[in-house]
Amino acid sequence: MTTSLAPSPSGPSTTSDEGLDHIYCCDPDTALCGTDISGYVERPALGDVDCIVCDDLEFKPCSTCGT
């Protein structure tokens, strides 16, 4: 699974998700948790991921590509 972190979400948010780091796999515009992360700036993983859903799904098979 290819992972990468991205800073705070862009666009309208209905949650207090601002500033969370997310992980993606095969679709760089969608985090593992389902958050739209298009337009985020990619950066190297720094350790713990703030988004607990992405963190839980990081080592599970991707629902899109299966890796």
Side-chain angles (χ1 to χ4, degrees):
M1 178 181 288
T2 304
T3 60
S4 179
L5 297 175
S8 62
S10 60
S13 176
T14 57
T15 66
S16 58
D17 174 39
E18 305 272 334
L20 291 180
D21 289 339
H22 294 279
I23 300 171
Y24 72 87
C25 182
C26 54
D27 180 0
D29 292 332
T30 306
L32 296 179
C33 66
T35 299
D36 178 4
I37 56 172
S38 56
Y40 282 31
V41 176
E42 189 173 327
R43 64 180 186 178
L46 301 175
D48 292 337
V49 176
D50 292 327
C51 176
I52 60 172
V53 176
C54 285
D55 193 42
D56 286 345
L57 296 173
E58 181 176 8
F59 298 107
K60 306 265 191 244
C62 176
S63 62
T64 304
C65 69
T67 59

